[in-house]
Amino acid sequence: MPSSKTRIAIVGGGVAGLLVARHTAAKLDTYSLTLFEQTDQVGGTWIYTDETDVDKHGLAIHSSMYKNLRTNLPREIMQIPDFPMKHDEGPSFVHHSVIREYLWDYAKHFNLYPHIKLNTLVKHVEPETLRNGQTIWMITYVDMETKIETTKTFDVVVLCNGHYTVGHIPRIPGIESFPSGSIHSHQYRVPEVYARKKVCILGASWSGIDIAMEVSQYAEKVYLSHNLSALGDSKMPKNVEQRPGIQSIQGNIFIFRDGSTAEVDNFIYCTGYKFTYPFMSSKVEMRTDDNHVEPIYKHLIHIDYPSLFIMGLPGIVIPFPMFHIQAQYILNIIEGHIKLPSAQQMREEYEVEKKALLDRGIQLRHINKLKERQWAYYDELAAATGIPSFPPVIRKIYDHSNQMRELDIGNYKNYQYRIIDDENFVVCCCKPC
């Protein structure tokens, strides 16, 4: 007999996948749940490995974690709202191993492991429309240990496969003439290999600045090349020099857009990542041009297939708490508590919003970077779901930590935040600042 439960498949066992699984597993009288994870443990990009190429199964290394990475958000606003972090000593910006243990504790606490298939690669996701108009999903997956391939049917698919695995490599004229080593930040692990070298780092977002600061402790010189406004007096190390974007490369001479040049030994692309869904059927339109995924409603729901959800699209957000709200929003859609507009209405609403952002001068590839728009997004989803959004103190700490980062790039991660109540916090420095 067919089950009356809604069959939910989650692709990926990182943070987003675990949060969807936690809220689904709380309603096992309503749902049957399977989470597919291609590696041998949950945690996604938070699982550090020295490997940078392929894993033991020949799959591309998933994680972009480097050895000394600390979070760029304070744990007080990064933690999942219903699962506080035990670790509360020292600076609020914790080492990645703390987050890994936190996620393992989360999976254990909510008894998620019975629903997780580790070492399982999703190969193909195919929609099939039944006579009654309902869409079901055929998922083909392979056990990487036994190589046994299986196809099963689901009612709902939630994609949580992450987007810190396939690096974006911009085309630079003359790069083929560069005789030395170049890597993407996805392959970066430790700074010591750049001792006494002249290093160029392209890109000044989170990872670019972080890696520049780290490499500068060993390198002779670091050229931080980017097209943003200058980072100003943010206490950069003396051997870090900002340059505009790279115009071309001739051998080991880099020519920047202002006409200046530099001799370079090693080159690191900190140029972001691509959204990829290699397992998705060609029946499902998923455009990822210019690092922007379409056609997606509310940064979450596939407009043509409303039983297909895509997590992890918004950038410059507080991701763990956002996933907490998104997961509950998804279940409310499945249960019919939230009524979605028609596909045509969703598309029209999406196109209006997209045009408004483009008209404001926001490039297509930056539309998913919510920044100040994130707070209204959380409030909207939370209100529709009937759950609390985040108290004002969360935004206050977020804004304060960003201000400290701009003022003192070298020391902002040494601050410790403490939430007093929904409106107030205190902050102190744990090391000389």
Side-chain angles (χ1 to χ4, degrees):
M1 292 291 290
S3 170
S4 59
K5 294 183 180 182
T6 301
R7 300 161 296 181
I8 296 184
I10 300 169
V11 182
V15 185
L18 292 176
L19 270 116
V20 176
R22 171 262 184 275
H23 289 284
T24 307
K27 299 180 175 183
L28 290 178
D29 54 337
T30 305
Y31 302 111
S32 64
L33 162 67
T34 307
L35 186 154
F36 300 98
E37 168 54 44
Q38 70 178 28
T39 70
D40 58 8
Q41 50 200 333
V42 298
T45 200
W46 294 96
I47 305 299
Y48 174 80
T49 174
D50 291 324
E51 300 296 330
T52 59
D53 186 15
V54 295
D55 65 14
K56 62 186 179 182
H57 298 305
L59 301 175
I61 291 295
H62 180 76
S63 177
S64 294
M65 201 58 49
Y66 43 96
K67 193 166 190 177
N68 303 320
L69 182 141
R70 290 165 64 193
T71 61
N72 53 32
L73 288 174
R75 61 172 168 252
E76 288 74 17
I77 64 172
M78 186 176 178
Q79 63 191 353
I80 301 163
D82 64 354
F83 194 72
M85 286 190 186
K86 296 175 187 173
H87 187 97
D88 62 356
E89 299 300 319
S92 291
F93 302 83
V94 297
H95 187 258
H96 61 76
S97 60
V98 174
I99 303 299
R100 180 196 65 202
E101 296 295 332
Y102 173 67
L103 296 176
W104 286 353
D105 286 347
Y106 182 85
K108 186 176 179 182
H109 178 81
F110 291 108
N111 195 30
L112 302 184
Y113 283 106
H115 311 287
I116 297 173
K117 289 184 179 295
L118 297 173
N119 293 306
T120 304
L121 176 70
V122 171
K123 293 186 70 176
H124 194 66
V125 177
E126 177 93 9
E128 184 179 316
T129 304
L130 304 179
R131 287 182 181 178
N132 64 1
Q134 179 192 350
T135 297
I136 58 170
W137 298 91
M138 312 299 291
I139 295 188
T140 301
Y141 56 92
V142 60
D143 183 316
M144 299 306 294
E145 301 284 349
T146 65
K147 306 304 180 188
I148 294 173
E149 195 169 290
T150 308
T151 300
K152 284 194 176 177
T153 307
F154 295 88
D155 302 299
V156 174
V157 176
V158 188
L159 303 185
C160 306
N161 57 307
H163 59 97
Y164 295 113
T165 297
V166 181
H168 168 62
I169 306 284
R171 170 79 185 118
I172 301 172
I175 181 63
E176 64 280 352
S177 70
F178 183 57
S180 304
S182 65
I183 62 167
H184 188 274
S185 57
H186 177 64
Q187 283 90 35
Y188 174 79
R189 292 295 182 267
V190 293
E192 290 86 350
V193 297
Y194 299 102
R196 299 177 297 280
K197 302 287 188 182
K198 293 183 281 290
V199 183
C200 180
I201 293 173
L202 179 60
S205 190
W206 294 107
S207 61
I209 294 172
D210 218 23
I211 291 172
M213 297 290 290
E214 191 169 288
V215 167
S216 70
Q217 299 172 45
Y218 295 87
E220 176 186 326
K221 184 79 173 181
V222 175
Y223 298 98
L224 182 58
S225 169
H226 62 91
N227 296 316
L228 306 172
S229 54
L231 298 171
D233 183 21
S234 52
K235 298 188 180 178
M236 279 282 186
K238 291 180 180 178
N239 62 338
V240 176
E241 185 178 330
Q242 295 181 65
R243 294 286 181 97
I246 301 165
Q247 181 174 302
S248 62
I249 296 171
Q250 296 176 6
N252 63 349
I253 303 299
F254 281 47
I255 302 156
F256 301 96
R257 290 185 176 177
D258 62 355
S260 65
T261 62
E263 185 178 338
V264 172
D265 298 314
N266 292 91
F267 182 31
I268 305 174
Y269 292 91
C270 292
T271 44
Y273 292 85
K274 297 179 181 179
F275 290 99
T276 58
Y277 306 96
F279 44 75
M280 186 54 67
S281 164
S282 59
K283 290 181 184 177
V284 180
E285 180 187 16
M286 287 188 72
R287 299 191 304 278
T288 56
D289 312 334
D290 208 9
N291 210 34
H292 178 71
V293 184
E294 296 187 12
I296 309 298
Y297 183 68
K298 300 296 182 192
H299 306 284
L300 189 60
I301 305 143
H302 196 287
I303 288 173
D304 298 325
Y305 292 94
S307 57
L308 174 64
F309 300 91
I310 300 90
M311 299 282 278
L313 298 184
I316 311 188
V317 291
I318 45 174
F320 294 18
M322 180 184 72
F323 297 148
H324 175 77
I325 289 180
Q326 284 183 324
Q328 294 174 83
Y329 183 77
I330 287 171
L331 294 187
N332 271 260
I333 291 171
I334 296 168
E335 292 163 18
H337 304 312
I338 294 173
K339 303 291 185 186
L340 292 176
S342 68
Q344 182 180 342
Q345 289 172 312
M346 286 193 283
R347 196 176 295 274
E348 288 172 358
E349 187 180 325
Y350 167 76
E351 291 295 345
V352 167
E353 182 183 351
K354 176 181 166 183
K355 184 179 185 302
L357 293 170
L358 292 172
D359 288 347
R360 279 170 49 188
I362 298 174
Q363 294 176 299
L364 183 67
R365 63 194 174 93
H366 294 318
I367 282 178
N368 68 321
K369 295 178 179 176
L370 296 190
K371 299 183 180 178
E372 291 306 302
R373 291 181 283 132
Q374 66 179 304
W375 310 106
Y377 178 67
Y378 307 148
D379 290 349
E380 178 190 356
L381 265 57
T385 308
I387 60 174
S389 191
F390 306 128
V393 69
I394 301 298
R395 182 171 184 173
K396 289 178 180 179
I397 293 176
Y398 180 88
D399 289 343
H400 186 275
S401 64
N402 278 340
Q403 289 165 7
M404 296 312 299
R405 176 175 176 265
E406 291 176 12
L407 289 170
D408 190 357
I409 195 73
N411 279 310
Y412 83 101
K413 290 190 178 183
N414 293 328
Y415 285 88
Q416 181 189 69
Y417 292 84
R418 284 287 182 267
I419 293 175
I420 303 300
D421 54 37
D422 283 356
E423 293 281 348
N424 301 291
F425 70 92
V426 293
V427 60
C428 65
C429 194
C430 292
K431 296 179 182 178
C433 289

